[in-house]
Amino acid sequence: MKKVRIDLFSDTMTRPSAGMRAAMAAAEVGDEQLREDPTVNRLVEKVSELLGKEDAVFLPSGSMCNQIAMRVHCQPGDEIICEATSHVRNFEGGGASAISGASIYSLDGENGIFTADQMEAAVRPLENHFPVSRLVTIEQTANMGGGTVWPLETIEEVCQRAAKFGLARHMDGARLMNAVVASGIPAATYCDCFDSVWVDFSKGLGAPVGAALAGSKDFINKAWRFKHQFGGAMRQSGIIAAAALYSIEHNIERLAEDHSNAVLLAEGLANIEGISVQTPETNLIFLDISELGVSSEQFNERLMTHDIRTCVTGKTQMRAVTHLDVSTPQIKEAITAFQKVAQAYRQ
Ligand SMILES: *Cc1c(COP(=O)(O)O)cnc(C)c1O
């Protein structure tokens, strides 16, 4: 496939920088399964501290963090409460049912965010006809909700109410650091009322691979068993943990640039006749081009002739994502290309 020059498809499109590659090449390594990889051990300590949890475990992907967390919290016949657009429900191959035997109760939130009252209404009575409500999970930021930031008060209300009903609490923090940078609220504060939380290194933080799941010592001991069972226990994984460490040390504060680029892009696109834009809170921008009378598939293909790509998320919807491999001049270039493509369809 031809390489796209301005790739707004996702923040997973970042490539490791020279500095990150140097850190990977220089990484001290050992056998991760024996807990003898010093770089992985350092990463795990750093993540525990960052998220304010007793312990953490390094995993190959964010999806595995979600799947292991659900597997620890749930048993067959249990039910997980989450938002309708969430990753655990839609984009993990039905893993909750396949791996944990759990059903999903989905809530229609606003921009990916639901209320404690909505959650409470979903909790099942303890009676043999019903699945057992076991776990509530939220996404910070809410990806398909628009990269929206869950307000801390809403999180605390949901957690407190969940505790009242004996539900475990899990946070999918694929883009938690974007929420932290956008709000100025520390990661540990967001994580405080959750039993399990994770961060992705391969999204906006710019590492090539990896995520880390955090929680109590007891939770992480259980998670380690499933890390082995799922085939996610690695060996000299310090090579990739070094990239994750580098991403924490160098690429968190700079997420602010992605957020300002997102505002720049959203404003530029909102000025184009026929394109409507959801105001971004972080680095994800959702567009609707229904007024242009063309599908997002076709529009995106036309954009590709300008060496630019977005992600098609619906018949006339698309998502554009800013990240560390897209510069401000390139955002301006992208706006011009969108103008040209929209103009061509308006005629
Ligand atoms: C990307 C993403 C995941 C999965 O992460 P991977 O590292 O790609 O497996 C989970 N949740 C959300 C909200 C995501 O955006």
Side-chain angles (χ1 to χ4, degrees):
M1 210 201 91
K2 181 171 162 282
K3 188 169 174 290
V4 181
R5 202 164 44 83
I6 305 177
D7 203 343
L8 305 171
F9 180 87
S10 174
D11 45 10
T12 56
M13 292 301 153
T14 57
R15 289 173 170 75
S17 62
M20 184 178 277
R21 285 171 187 266
M24 295 171 79
E28 260 190 277
V29 296
D31 189 330
E32 187 211 76
Q33 289 188 12
L34 299 179
R35 322 280 172 109
E36 285 176 2
D37 188 296
T39 309
V40 171
N41 292 344
R42 254 197 318 132
L43 174 66
V44 157
E45 264 176 46
K46 187 129 193 160
V47 170
S48 308
E49 195 184 295
L50 182 70
L51 304 186
K53 296 295 177 198
E54 278 176 7
D55 204 357
V57 57
F58 186 44
L59 292 168
S61 72
S63 299
M64 197 182 282
C65 291
N66 276 335
Q67 291 304 321
I68 288 182
M70 291 189 288
R71 184 66 187 81
V72 172
H73 292 303
C74 301
Q75 54 180 339
D78 284 352
E79 192 159 65
I80 298 164
I81 301 171
C82 65
E83 212 276 335
T85 63
S86 63
H87 203 278
V88 287
R89 176 174 184 245
N90 301 301
F91 306 120
E92 295 180 17
S97 57
I99 295 170
S100 299
S103 54
I104 297 261
Y105 193 120
S106 64
L107 304 173
D108 292 320
E110 200 171 313
N111 299 329
I113 296 167
F114 55 82
T115 64
D117 286 344
Q118 277 181 295
M119 188 209 65
E120 179 170 344
V123 176
R124 310 279 192 169
L126 270 178
E127 200 267 317
N128 288 341
H129 284 85
F130 301 112
V132 177
S133 302
R134 182 74 63 192
L135 173 70
V136 61
T137 170
I138 74 145
E139 230 172 74
Q140 182 71 306
T141 64
N143 179 349
M144 301 308 282
T148 44
V149 179
W150 273 75
L152 185 59
E153 314 81 73
T154 314
I155 286 179
E156 286 171 349
E157 270 173 37
V158 164
C159 281
Q160 278 160 15
R161 200 79 64 87
K164 205 174 110 188
F165 290 97
L167 306 186
R169 284 92 56 194
H170 172 72
M171 185 199 287
D172 169 338
R175 295 187 181 81
L176 172 61
M177 290 306 152
N178 292 87
V180 167
V181 168
S183 68
I185 295 173
T189 306
Y190 277 131
C191 296
D192 194 40
C193 66
F194 291 95
D195 299 296
S196 51
V197 293
W198 62 271
V199 280
D200 218 325
F201 306 115
S202 69
K203 297 275 165 78
L205 295 184
V209 60
L213 175 66
S216 68
K217 278 219 173 326
D218 178 57
F219 173 85
I220 295 301
N221 279 340
K222 289 175 177 150
W224 256 101
R225 176 162 190 83
F226 295 118
K227 175 176 159 85
H228 277 267
Q229 201 178 83
F230 293 9
M234 300 176 275
R235 299 295 185 184
Q236 284 72 33
S237 50
I239 293 284
I240 51 174
L245 268 172
Y246 185 95
S247 80
I248 293 177
E249 281 157 11
H250 296 87
N251 293 343
I252 293 179
E253 277 99 62
R254 66 147 308 284
L255 290 171
E257 285 171 46
D258 300 343
H259 299 170
S260 62
N261 277 338
V263 170
L264 184 68
L265 182 60
E267 285 174 356
L269 299 183
N271 282 331
I272 301 172
E273 201 186 319
I275 301 184
S276 64
V277 184
Q278 182 181 343
T279 306
E281 292 184 26
T282 53
N283 68 327
L284 313 181
I285 302 134
F286 285 79
L287 315 171
D288 191 307
I289 57 161
S290 50
E291 281 176 42
L292 288 174
V294 62
S295 75
S296 40
E297 203 77 64
Q298 289 168 302
F299 192 97
N300 200 45
E301 244 161 61
R302 206 63 172 257
L303 269 180
M304 299 264 266
T305 66
H306 295 264
D307 245 2
I308 294 168
R309 170 166 73 165
T310 67
C311 176
V312 170
T313 55
K315 264 196 163 42
T316 59
Q317 286 86 36
M318 49 221 279
R319 187 189 72 172
V321 183
T322 57
H323 53 76
L324 86 175
D325 284 354
V326 181
S327 66
T328 304
Q330 287 181 321
I331 293 293
K332 292 178 181 156
E333 202 183 315
I335 295 167
T336 308
F338 268 87
Q339 273 163 349
K340 283 186 188 150
V341 173
Q343 173 82 28
Y345 285 121
R346 276 202 309 269
Q347 279 161 1

